[in-house]
């Protein structure tokens, strides 16, 4: 894992760029990694645990973690309906792994009582890559990003089993038994990856998201 960017002074802080306030849903999961990545990409990251905090952000990251736990906590913290409403109103959002699961319109292999947010018209299969490969890494091409293939870290990751008509497929698994499986998508202002760009030190996906928020 290369996290050299955490201490790299060359952050995206050009004065002519706006510094959007981007929340990280901080109920469970790898919140800190996203906070650090966003700060480095020229955003003002804030933790979101309350409706008032959600109301104040220009965009939201849903971290990796455990989607069924986050789902329960969304209900317990009275955030489920407000978050669905903000997504309906066009708030930009980015979900990695468990975050992707939460952003789906349909989830397979989850708990019956698990909630999701309908941020992207897609069916996501939870823990899709199976037990024997709970965790793996691969290099993949990510549409719209310069700089060559991206190292992608999958940790008990989901895949996208159905992508709706308006959903843009940004990355698929390039080879091996899971070749062709969809692992990054975008619909409108909502972006989701099966893998964890917040842990590799490659900030291109976060930069792309900060740009999406600036443009929204
Ligand atoms: N398997 C987890 C879930 O179902 C996701 C794993 C992750 O976010 N790394 O939510």
């Amino acid at each position: 894992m290369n996290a050299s960017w955490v201490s790299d002074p060359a952050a995206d802080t050009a004065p002519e760029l706006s510094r959007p306030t981007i929340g990280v849903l901080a109920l469970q999961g790898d919140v800190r990694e996203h906070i650090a990545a966003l700060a480095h990409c020229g955003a003002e990251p804030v933790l979101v645990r309350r409706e008032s905090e959600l109301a104040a952000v220009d965009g939201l990251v849903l971290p990796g973690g455990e989607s069924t736990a986050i789902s329960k906590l969304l209900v317990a913290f009275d955030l489920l309906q407000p978050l669905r409403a903000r997504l309906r109103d066009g708030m930009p959002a980015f979900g990695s792994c468990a975050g992707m699961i939460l952003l789906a319109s349909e989830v397979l292999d989850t708990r019956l009582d698990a909630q999701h947010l309908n941020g992207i018209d897609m069916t996501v299969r939870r823990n899709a890559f199976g037990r024997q490969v709970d965790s793996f890494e691969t290099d993949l091409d990510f549409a719209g990003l310069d700089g060559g293939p991206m190292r992608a870290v999958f940790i008990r990751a989901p895949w996208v089993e159905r992508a709706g008509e308006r959903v843009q497929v940004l990355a698929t698994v390039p080879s091996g038994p899971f070749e062709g499986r969809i692992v990054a998508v975008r619909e409108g202002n909502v972006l989701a990856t099966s893998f964890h760009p917040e842990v590799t030190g490659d900030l291109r996906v976060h930069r792309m998201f900060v740009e999406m928020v600036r443009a929204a």
Side-chain angles (χ1 to χ4, degrees), residues 68-90:
T68 60
I70 298 174
S71 159
K72 277 189 188 162
L73 292 166
L74 280 172
V75 175
F77 282 69
D78 291 326
L79 276 173
L80 184 65
Q81 298 310 336
L83 186 43
R84 281 189 179 143
R86 282 225 60 188
L87 288 166
R88 263 199 312 274
D89 292 346

Side-chain angles (χ1 to χ4, degrees), residues 7 17 29-31 38 40 46 66 95 97 99-100 106 122-123 129 131-132 140 143 149 153 155 166 202 204 206 208:
S7 55
L17 293 175
D30 68 340
V31 173
L38 289 168
H40 202 80
V46 296
E66 171 48 55
C97 203
M100 168 189 262
E106 186 185 16
M122 62 176 171
T123 303
F129 292 92
R131 244 166 215 276
Q132 70 283 17
L140 45 79
V153 175
I155 304 168
R166 287 181 307 277
D202 184 337
R204 285 177 290 169
H206 286 84
M208 177 187 212

Side-chain angles (χ1 to χ4, degrees), residues 124-155:
V124 165
R125 186 175 295 279
R126 209 171 141 244
N127 301 333
F129 292 92
R131 244 166 215 276
Q132 70 283 17
V133 277
D134 279 350
S135 192
F136 70 101
E137 300 187 20
T138 190
D139 291 318
L140 45 79
D141 290 322
F142 198 109
L145 292 182
D146 296 333
M150 170 173 295
R151 190 79 184 153
V153 175
F154 294 83
I155 304 168

Side-chain angles (χ1 to χ4, degrees), residues 28 30 63-70 96-99 101 109-110 126-127 154-158 194 196 198:
Q28 191 269 338
D30 68 340
E66 171 48 55
S67 59
T68 60
I70 298 174
S96 64
C97 203
I101 296 170
D109 291 342
T110 191
R126 209 171 141 244
N127 301 333
F154 294 83
I155 304 168
R156 280 188 78 73
S194 301
H196 293 267
E198 70 275 17

